[in-house]
Amino acid sequence: MILSQVIDIKSIKTPLVGTDKKSVIAELVDLVCDNGLVSSRDGVFNAIMERENIRSTGVGKGFAIPHCKTMLVDEIVLAFGRCAEPVNFDSIDKEPVKLIALLISPTAKTGEHIQALAGISRIITTAGVRDKLWNDINPDTGKDWTAEEVYKIITQE
């Protein structure tokens, strides 16, 4: 799956200001809700948290992919956030998370959901991408990363 087909710059937030798992997930859900991409903010948030309660989506190396399948979206919705400070996410490697990709898929699109998870995983494990995004400052500008810069990195455009 090509990530640029399911994410746009308006669905990227940097930095996320939340200080715990629940608050950073809420920030990303609010972002997609504010962009009109989901029909129920609370329904999507609850679905994500139900999935999170089954098993943490902190996949390691400072990255998490909270996700769910729900009838509250018609198409795959993807948001990306970079935390201002690392957040405890109960990750498999016990390391805090700074990069989060939020994925919401229609219930009937299991195959596309799996493809999106694989696409996110592939991008974030690409040599240098995760490490580049982990840094607080873009070395080219000396300033915090902008949503546009993060978009280019994660979509590899």
Side-chain angles (χ1 to χ4, degrees):
M1 170 168 287
I2 301 169
L3 294 184
S4 62
Q5 294 175 338
V6 292
I7 192 169
D8 64 28
I9 292 169
K10 294 184 293 186
S11 295
I12 296 172
K13 186 171 182 185
T14 180
L16 295 168
V17 296
T19 58
D20 61 23
K21 180 194 307 194
K22 191 173 183 179
S23 63
V24 292
I25 290 173
E27 278 184 77
L28 289 172
V29 170
D30 289 344
L31 182 65
V32 296
C33 187
D34 292 347
N35 289 333
L37 301 173
V38 300
S39 62
S40 169
R41 184 257 183 229
D42 291 340
V44 167
F45 179 76
N46 291 336
I48 296 252
M49 293 311 295
E50 282 177 29
R51 168 58 185 86
E52 200 63 38
N53 288 332
I54 293 169
R55 184 173 183 195
S56 174
T57 56
V59 296
K61 300 198 185 276
F63 191 63
I65 312 172
H67 59 277
C68 70
K69 291 185 287 180
T70 178
M71 294 177 7
L72 298 171
V73 294
D74 295 323
E75 298 297 328
I76 290 178
V77 173
L78 179 62
F80 188 88
R82 198 181 148 282
C83 301
E85 295 294 327
V87 171
N88 178 10
F89 225 82
D90 301 316
S91 299
I92 59 172
D93 64 358
K94 308 292 186 223
E95 295 296 319
V97 162
K98 197 162 187 179
L99 307 171
I100 303 170
L102 179 84
L103 175 65
I104 309 158
S105 300
T107 305
K109 295 191 177 183
T110 299
E112 291 170 339
H113 181 78
I114 300 291
Q115 289 175 356
L117 284 170
I120 295 164
S121 296
R122 188 171 36 257
I123 293 299
I124 209 65
T125 58
T126 299
V129 171
R130 182 185 59 247
D131 296 335
K132 184 183 285 188
L133 290 171
W134 184 266
N135 294 322
D136 289 331
I137 303 297
N138 177 343
D140 295 334
T141 65
K143 298 179 182 176
D144 290 341
W145 292 103
T146 66
E148 292 82 4
E149 290 167 329
V150 171
Y151 176 85
K152 288 178 184 177
I153 293 168
I154 64 175
T155 61
Q156 297 188 345
E157 291 188 351

